[in-house]
Amino acid sequence: MSEKQGHECEERELTRTVSMNSALAAISCAALLYAVSWVMGCSTAPTAKTGRGKKISEPAGLVHLSEEDKIVPAISGRKLTVEKMAQRAAISLQYSNEEYGVAFDAPKGYLLREGELPEMDRGLGYLGPIPMHFAAPGGIRLATVEPPQGLHLGTNFVNEFFTVSAHYGSAEAVCSDFNIPAESRGSPVTRTVDGIQFHGFAEHSAVSMHQYNGIYLHAFTNDTCYEIGYGVASAGAVSSDGLKPINQDNLLRKLEKLLDSVRINQPDFERTTSTD
């Protein structure tokens, strides 16, 4: 073999050795990268999928609690107080009339009728409809509270009511009068409602075994005569049907408690005029 051929053989051998070393190096690098990625994958916390398909890593060492293990937060005294106040507010109906500046609360479960009463209203039974007692025409009934059907079953109860009316433009002297017949008038009555003195009379009547007792009050303010009336009607004494008699005085006292919720403010039309 010539010297030239010997050099060529050595060069080919060297090239083959380098190529083999490069291949081994690439394989070693790939194996090392795989090992590192496997170790990192084992140490990474599990992931959770969101509703949109994205993954959110959970903190390492997170402990999942069952429904039984979850701690229920204690309810503070303040929250209990707020809840009780909301419950008390839910036991009544609120009436508000900005035009005449009148608002009051009615017991929940009772019927709150705005405006004039329908002809089929129970009223006072045989004694007629629930009255207004303005001495001059022009009064408007704003709202009336009556109990639902079926209240006081087994008694001689007919109806009870709490009604509010107004007469705008009435004179103060006229407002102090009532169209209650003399034979139906009882003793004078004075009540303070929202800081305003109301004056009026107790009234009573009876016909066809029906009895009625009520109180009507007037007060003049905001160029308006306000009327508040409340009363109870029954079917008279206990009959052969064995109906239990109701205590009208007790029911009147309960109705009178509604006066505490009545608010009388400046009517909406007067507020608008004063700001123009």
Side-chain angles (χ1 to χ4, degrees), residues 20-94:
M20 291 180 65
N21 290 338
S22 299
L24 289 174
I27 293 172
S28 299
C29 290
L32 181 60
L33 288 174
Y34 176 79
V36 171
S37 63
W38 183 83
V39 172
M40 292 181 66
C42 290
S43 62
T44 303
T47 59
K49 289 186 178 182
T50 66
R52 296 181 179 178
K54 296 182 180 179
K55 292 184 178 181
I56 301 176
S57 297
E58 296 181 356
L62 179 65
V63 178
H64 293 278
L65 298 177
S66 64
E67 291 296 329
E68 292 78 7
D69 296 330
K70 291 182 179 179
I71 300 175
V72 178
I75 301 177
S76 67
R78 177 179 175 82
K79 184 175 181 181
L80 285 173
T81 301
V82 171
E83 289 179 352
K84 288 181 179 179
M85 291 176 64
Q87 291 174 358
R88 285 197 296 270
I91 65 173
S92 64
L93 300 171
Q94 287 77 39

Side-chain angles (χ1 to χ4, degrees), residues 100 134-135 139-140 165-172 174-178 198 217-227:
Y100 287 92
F134 294 112
I140 297 174
S165 304
H167 191 330
Y168 177 71
S170 174
E172 185 171 3
V174 177
C175 182
S176 62
D177 198 4
F178 295 77
F198 275 73
L217 304 163
H218 284 180
F220 186 82
T221 184
N222 302 324
D223 292 327
T224 303
C225 182
Y226 292 94
E227 178 178 274

Side-chain angles (χ1 to χ4, degrees), residues 109-110 122 146-160 246 251:
Y110 274 54
R122 284 174 287 171
E146 294 180 279
Q149 291 283 356
L151 191 67
H152 304 302
L153 287 175
T155 71
N156 63 344
F157 176 82
V158 173
N159 197 17
E160 63 181 343
I246 61 170
L251 292 180

Side-chain angles (χ1 to χ4, degrees), residues 95 97 100-105 112-117 130-132 134 139-145 161-167 193 198 216-217 225-230 258-259 261-264:
Y95 169 79
N97 185 309
Y100 287 92
V102 175
F104 66 88
D105 296 341
L112 178 58
R113 305 184 188 277
E114 298 188 25
E116 294 299 330
L117 294 169
I130 296 173
M132 286 193 297
F134 294 112
I140 297 174
R141 193 186 303 274
L142 302 181
T144 304
V145 176
F161 68 90
F162 182 90
T163 188
V164 179
S165 304
H167 191 330
V193 180
F198 275 73
Y216 269 78
L217 304 163
C225 182
Y226 292 94
E227 178 178 274
I228 299 175
Y230 48 98
L258 296 180
L259 294 175
S261 71
V262 176
R263 295 293 177 264
I264 299 177

